[in-house]
Short mmCIF file of all heavy atoms in Angstrom, two decimals:
data_model
loop_
_atom_site.label_atom_id
_atom_site.label_comp_id
_atom_site.label_asym_id
_atom_site.label_seq_id
_atom_site.Cartn_x
_atom_site.Cartn_y
_atom_site.Cartn_z
N GLU A 90 -3.05 1.90 -28.41
CA GLU A 90 -3.09 0.90 -29.57
C GLU A 90 -4.47 0.37 -29.76
O GLU A 90 -5.12 0.08 -28.82
CB GLU A 90 -2.14 -0.23 -29.29
CG GLU A 90 -0.77 0.05 -28.82
CD GLU A 90 -0.64 0.12 -27.28
OE1 GLU A 90 -1.66 0.13 -26.61
OE2 GLU A 90 0.49 0.19 -26.76
N LYS A 91 -4.88 0.31 -31.14
CA LYS A 91 -6.15 -0.23 -31.39
C LYS A 91 -5.91 -1.71 -31.74
O LYS A 91 -7.01 -2.51 -31.62
CB LYS A 91 -6.80 0.43 -32.64
CG LYS A 91 -7.29 1.78 -32.30
CD LYS A 91 -8.15 2.37 -33.48
CE LYS A 91 -8.81 3.65 -33.14
NZ LYS A 91 -9.06 4.45 -34.27
N ARG A 92 -4.81 -2.16 -32.21
CA ARG A 92 -4.54 -3.55 -32.52
C ARG A 92 -3.04 -3.86 -32.33
O ARG A 92 -2.23 -2.85 -32.09
CB ARG A 92 -5.01 -3.77 -33.96
CG ARG A 92 -4.29 -3.07 -35.00
CD ARG A 92 -4.94 -3.22 -36.39
NE ARG A 92 -6.28 -2.79 -36.45
CZ ARG A 92 -6.73 -1.52 -36.89
NH1 ARG A 92 -5.61 -0.68 -37.18
NH2 ARG A 92 -7.85 -1.21 -36.88
N LEU A 93 -2.79 -5.22 -32.32
CA LEU A 93 -1.48 -5.71 -32.04
C LEU A 93 -0.35 -5.00 -32.84
O LEU A 93 0.69 -4.61 -32.40
CB LEU A 93 -1.50 -7.20 -32.28
CG LEU A 93 -0.16 -7.86 -32.00
CD1 LEU A 93 0.31 -7.83 -30.54
CD2 LEU A 93 -0.32 -9.36 -32.45
N SER A 94 -0.69 -4.70 -34.11
CA SER A 94 0.33 -4.16 -35.01
C SER A 94 0.82 -2.76 -34.62
O SER A 94 1.84 -2.27 -35.13
CB SER A 94 -0.17 -4.10 -36.47
OG SER A 94 -1.31 -3.39 -36.60
N HIS A 95 -0.02 -2.05 -33.81
CA HIS A 95 0.31 -0.70 -33.31
C HIS A 95 1.33 -0.81 -32.16
O HIS A 95 1.83 0.26 -31.72
CB HIS A 95 -0.97 -0.06 -32.86
CG HIS A 95 -1.91 0.29 -33.96
ND1 HIS A 95 -3.19 0.66 -33.70
CD2 HIS A 95 -1.81 0.19 -35.34
CE1 HIS A 95 -3.82 0.82 -34.90
NE2 HIS A 95 -2.90 0.56 -35.79
N LEU A 96 1.65 -1.95 -31.57
CA LEU A 96 2.47 -1.96 -30.39
C LEU A 96 3.90 -1.55 -30.73
O LEU A 96 4.42 -1.96 -31.75
CB LEU A 96 2.45 -3.29 -29.73
CG LEU A 96 1.56 -3.41 -28.53
CD1 LEU A 96 0.07 -3.55 -29.10
CD2 LEU A 96 1.88 -4.55 -27.63
N LYS A 97 4.50 -0.74 -29.86
CA LYS A 97 5.95 -0.36 -29.95
C LYS A 97 6.52 -0.45 -28.58
O LYS A 97 5.94 0.02 -27.58
CB LYS A 97 6.08 1.09 -30.41
CG LYS A 97 6.08 1.16 -32.01
CD LYS A 97 6.07 2.63 -32.39
CE LYS A 97 7.52 3.27 -32.39
NZ LYS A 97 7.55 4.60 -32.89
N ILE A 101 5.07 1.08 -24.86
CA ILE A 101 4.83 0.26 -23.72
C ILE A 101 5.58 0.70 -22.46
O ILE A 101 5.07 0.94 -21.39
CB ILE A 101 5.08 -1.20 -23.98
CG1 ILE A 101 4.32 -1.64 -25.21
CG2 ILE A 101 4.74 -2.07 -22.81
CD1 ILE A 101 4.67 -3.12 -25.68
N GLY A 148 -8.08 -3.74 -27.02
CA GLY A 148 -7.42 -2.50 -27.38
C GLY A 148 -6.72 -1.85 -26.29
O GLY A 148 -6.73 -2.31 -25.06
N TRP A 149 -6.16 -0.69 -26.40
CA TRP A 149 -5.32 0.12 -25.38
C TRP A 149 -4.37 -0.94 -24.58
O TRP A 149 -4.42 -0.76 -23.38
CB TRP A 149 -6.40 0.76 -24.50
CG TRP A 149 -7.12 1.90 -25.19
CD1 TRP A 149 -7.38 2.09 -26.52
CD2 TRP A 149 -7.73 2.98 -24.54
NE1 TRP A 149 -8.13 3.19 -26.77
CE2 TRP A 149 -8.29 3.86 -25.55
CE3 TRP A 149 -7.88 3.40 -23.25
CZ2 TRP A 149 -9.09 4.99 -25.29
CZ3 TRP A 149 -8.65 4.54 -22.92
CH2 TRP A 149 -9.26 5.28 -23.90
N TYR A 150 -3.67 -1.71 -25.42
CA TYR A 150 -2.84 -2.74 -24.58
C TYR A 150 -1.95 -2.09 -23.55
O TYR A 150 -2.01 -2.56 -22.41
CB TYR A 150 -1.92 -3.38 -25.67
CG TYR A 150 -2.44 -4.39 -26.61
CD1 TYR A 150 -3.17 -4.01 -27.75
CD2 TYR A 150 -2.32 -5.74 -26.40
CE1 TYR A 150 -3.65 -4.82 -28.56
CE2 TYR A 150 -2.84 -6.65 -27.24
CZ TYR A 150 -3.57 -6.23 -28.32
OH TYR A 150 -4.01 -7.14 -29.13
#
Side-chain angles (χ1 to χ4, degrees):
E90 311 91 348
K91 287 189 178 158
R92 59 186 68 90
L93 182 62
S94 59
H95 293 166
L96 263 79
K97 274 177 81 176
I101 302 173
W149 292 21
Y150 283 83

